[in-house]
Amino acid sequence: MVDIVSGLRNISRAREGLEAVRDQVKNRDRVMMMLGPYMLSVGTASPQQIDRKASFAWPAQERIGKRPLLQFTGRGQELIHIDGVIYPEYKGGLRQMQALREMAGSGRRWLLVDGLGVVYGLYAILEVDEVGSAYTKFGSPKRIEFQLQLEYAGDSD
């Protein structure tokens, strides 16, 4: 019985998350970035700052009587950190953060594309943080600040 109730809760949360993503389609003309089906735009989850960090491997090779020589051995980790804000009463609704958490919990990699059509590749959602503020008398936030931590998760093959 407990497993059935738990399963129904999980299905309900996933359905609400998918509905939140579907509701974003109304604002598709102002897309700033897409992470899989999730739209970051002025009218929904609006990015305020995007930090991108790429590292490259250059281990030192020791040499006798000389300084070490750096040798390039490949690309390293690539991280993207997105800070943004949602005004749920204005556009997009309250379930946008739930949709991101459901996507992160799915264990999938998501294609990241910006509004100019630049394809960044497949990324894993490592962290989803949110802070609600300016609450209504019913307990829902009028403003939600969020942070996403993404990491490049490899090629599509």
Side-chain angles (χ1 to χ4, degrees), residues 97-115:
M97 294 309 300
Q98 181 179 342
L100 279 170
R101 286 191 299 274
E102 293 296 328
M103 287 173 60
S106 74
R108 293 183 56 194
R109 302 176 299 167
W110 301 98
L111 185 64
L112 183 65
V113 181
D114 71 15

Side-chain angles (χ1 to χ4, degrees), residues 13-79:
R13 278 197 343 257
R15 188 187 76 242
E16 287 177 359
L18 291 173
E19 287 172 0
V21 169
R22 186 191 68 219
D23 292 344
Q24 289 184 321
V25 173
K26 299 170 194 165
N27 296 297
R28 68 182 174 273
D29 58 331
R30 293 173 275 173
V31 174
M32 297 170 74
M33 190 170 271
M34 292 285 296
L35 178 62
Y38 194 85
M39 187 181 311
L40 297 159
S41 70
V42 172
T44 58
S46 179
Q48 303 297 298
Q49 181 172 322
I50 299 173
D51 299 322
R52 187 173 178 196
K53 179 181 178 181
S55 61
F56 303 89
W58 285 88
Q61 302 298 317
E62 298 295 328
R63 302 186 299 172
I64 298 174
K66 296 183 180 179
R67 287 196 250 174
L69 178 68
L70 295 182
Q71 180 180 4
F72 180 71
T73 58
R75 297 177 66 100
Q77 184 181 47
E78 186 167 334
L79 298 170

Side-chain angles (χ1 to χ4, degrees), residues 143-155:
R143 177 184 169 95
I144 300 171
E145 294 179 31
F146 68 90
Q147 295 180 340
L148 296 178
Q149 184 74 33
L150 310 175
E151 183 172 349
Y152 182 74
D155 296 323

Side-chain angles (χ1 to χ4, degrees), residues 76-130:
Q77 184 181 47
E78 186 167 334
L79 298 170
I80 295 180
H81 184 90
I82 301 172
D83 291 333
V85 66
I86 297 170
Y87 294 98
E89 290 184 336
Y90 174 63
K91 297 259 176 130
L94 284 169
R95 296 184 297 208
Q96 294 180 74
M97 294 309 300
Q98 181 179 342
L100 279 170
R101 286 191 299 274
E102 293 296 328
M103 287 173 60
S106 74
R108 293 183 56 194
R109 302 176 299 167
W110 301 98
L111 185 64
L112 183 65
V113 181
D114 71 15
L116 299 174
V118 176
V119 178
Y120 292 86
L122 295 171
Y123 279 77
I125 303 171
L126 301 182
E127 290 183 19
V128 178
D129 297 324
E130 67 180 285

